Amino acid sequence: MNKKGVLVTGGAGYIGSHTVVELIGAGYEVVIVDNFSNSDASSLDGIAKITGTKPIFVEADCCDKEALREVFEHYDFSSVIHFAAYKAVGESVAEPAKYYRNNLLSFLNVVELMKEYHRPNIVFSSSATVYGDAEVLPVTELTPRKPATSPYGNTKQMAEDILRDIVSANNELRGIALRYFNPIGAHPSALIGELPRGVPNNLVPYITQTAAGVRECLSIFGDDYPTPDGSCLRDYIDIVDLARAHVVAINRMVEGKSEECYEVFNIGTGSPVSVFELVQGFERANNLKLNYKVAARRAGDVTAVWADTTRANEILGWCAERNLEDTLRTAWAWECNVRKEK
Ligand code: UFG
């Protein structure tokens, strides 16, 4: 079996494409499966330009088990990173069946085929959403998960549990769940980045589109939260730092360093940042003024969540490196590049 081979589902997407770049840089041979449901082929060109390598690409939906089986039949890899999933919280509330079907079926297909084809290692994309409105901050991996407040969040909790049960029942398989906090920014080359479809839900793409004049004004959702400046606190993690966490997780499994068959790590910076601080950081980093106003709270937002990253620091030997303003510069450079291409 090719220990250097990694299958990346959703590898054309935002986190997937940055992870593919870091994997290639670390000497891994990557096979990408993506159905472009929330991505497009330009990210594959970006990966090729940055790395000088064109990874193998198969256009397929992970819910189509026979199509996915072909990939397991044809390509040799010991590890899988499973990103392919829907991720819009609001849409998941409106269309729960779509989320449960897509996110759980694709995940089950991947792990069942790993078992059948004896491919031992999987990294699963989980989320800080599993902590909900935590009582004690920062959250550690031992902080109890809260009942999910959206079907999207529930698919992350359910997939974590399914993964734990499957690897516990099969001593060939190992799994690592990475709980991401808020991924932001883009590759420093500005050749890959986040490409939201339609009106962005997330803060940083909304900010960059407002700065670019695509959106008129950023609404800051709430200034009356019990936080120092009244806006929500989050842990914004640079996308390249996040991508590197996947490489160290794969290294750990490939090198047989983990004693446990299932492990969970928070992937964040460990520092809370308010919405106002983020907006000001963006203005400072890019030397521009943003049009914004305070609006009502957004339904479903938690007041504050940030990570205790001790486990990832000590066990994975990983920590966030890029500072917030540098990250916000990459976000703006990417937005400018996207506009230039249009
Ligand atoms: N915000 C604004 N204005 C906007 C967009 C966001 O003020 O236009 C605020 C939000 O209220 C929140 C913060 O910016 O306080 C961050 O919001 P994001 O939408 O960027 O991120 P969330 O923390 O809401 O979302 C993250 C992940 C999701 C995950 C969710 C669960 O991106 O995948 O946490 O809580 F589901």
Side-chain angles (χ1 to χ4, degrees):
M1 188 176 24
N2 181 7
K3 280 192 156 190
K4 283 286 174 190
V6 183
L7 172 67
V8 182
T9 72
Y14 175 42
I15 308 177
S17 58
H18 289 81
T19 300
V20 168
V21 166
E22 297 306 310
L23 285 167
I24 292 172
Y28 285 100
E29 292 151 28
V30 175
V31 178
I32 296 174
V33 171
D34 203 298
N35 64 352
F36 296 133
S37 72
N38 191 24
S39 60
D40 70 48
S42 61
S43 63
L44 302 177
D45 298 335
I47 292 168
K49 277 193 194 134
I50 296 167
T51 63
T53 305
K54 239 186 148 154
I56 296 162
F57 173 72
V58 180
E59 186 170 346
D61 183 338
C62 295
C63 289
D64 179 347
K65 194 168 184 182
E66 289 320 303
L68 199 57
R69 179 185 297 283
E70 292 287 304
V71 176
F72 278 76
E73 278 287 338
H74 280 93
Y75 300 106
D76 191 10
F77 47 84
S78 66
S79 307
V80 179
I81 306 181
H82 182 58
F83 292 110
Y86 294 154
K87 62 169 190 178
V89 177
E91 186 189 44
S92 81
V93 174
E95 295 184 72
K98 176 176 165 181
Y99 272 68
Y100 287 116
R101 168 170 290 277
N102 184 67
N103 292 6
L104 296 178
L105 188 58
S106 63
F107 176 68
L108 280 170
N109 285 344
V110 167
V111 283
E112 282 177 349
L113 287 165
M114 288 176 62
K115 185 164 169 248
E116 191 178 328
Y117 286 84
H118 306 285
R119 312 295 170 87
N121 311 316
I122 177 165
V123 174
F124 173 66
S125 279
S126 190
S127 166
T129 193
V130 302
Y131 296 115
D133 214 344
E135 271 130 44
V136 181
L137 291 164
V139 290
T140 77
E141 292 79 356
L142 296 175
T143 299
R145 296 182 320 187
K146 285 279 180 70
T149 54
S150 71
Y152 159 78
N154 211 12
T155 66
K156 292 296 176 194
Q157 294 202 355
M158 290 165 94
E160 280 193 356
D161 293 343
I162 292 169
L163 180 59
R164 184 203 55 217
D165 291 348
I166 289 179
V167 298
S168 305
N170 183 312
N171 53 20
E172 266 189 23
L173 293 177
R174 278 175 191 285
I176 291 182
L178 299 181
R179 291 177 178 162
Y180 316 146
F181 283 69
N182 289 56
I184 62 165
H187 192 268
S189 65
L191 290 167
I192 52 172
E194 193 170 4
L195 269 180
R197 296 217 165 140
V199 183
N201 289 312
N202 295 119
L203 180 59
V204 170
Y206 208 105
I207 287 177
T208 57
Q209 290 197 7
T210 305
V214 182
R215 312 279 154 211
E216 218 169 276
C217 181
L218 168 76
S219 292
I220 295 188
F221 297 140
D223 68 348
D224 56 352
Y225 283 96
T227 60
D229 67 17
S231 66
C232 294
L233 299 172
R234 295 287 184 276
D235 184 335
Y236 296 95
I237 174 76
D238 179 85
I239 189 69
V240 176
D241 283 335
L242 174 58
R244 282 193 302 103
H246 294 79
V247 178
V248 293
I250 292 287
N251 288 345
R252 179 171 173 79
M253 289 191 285
V254 167
E255 290 162 13
K257 283 196 187 141
S258 53
E259 273 155 34
E260 310 287 331
C261 58
Y262 174 66
E263 296 179 298
V264 180
F265 296 97
N266 285 343
I267 303 297
T269 64
S271 303
V273 171
S274 76
V275 180
F276 285 117
E277 285 170 334
L278 194 102
V279 168
Q280 285 151 12
F282 181 82
E283 291 182 325
R284 246 192 334 267
N286 297 299
N287 198 23
L288 46 79
K289 281 274 161 236
L290 197 73
N291 196 17
Y292 66 86
K293 60 173 194 239
V294 173
R297 292 182 179 193
R298 181 172 70 176
D301 276 343
V302 299
T303 302
V305 63
W306 71 94
D308 180 320
T309 60
T310 309
R311 248 181 82 78
N313 302 154
E314 291 180 355
I315 299 177
L316 291 179
W318 170 92
C319 68
E321 286 171 5
R322 208 190 269 167
N323 73 49
L324 184 63
E325 288 194 18
D326 286 344
T327 300
L328 292 170
R329 263 188 283 278
T330 65
W332 179 232
W334 163 247
E335 183 71 51
C336 294
N337 215 11
V338 169
R339 300 290 138 212
K340 214 167 58 203
E341 307 271 298
K342 281 195 173 163

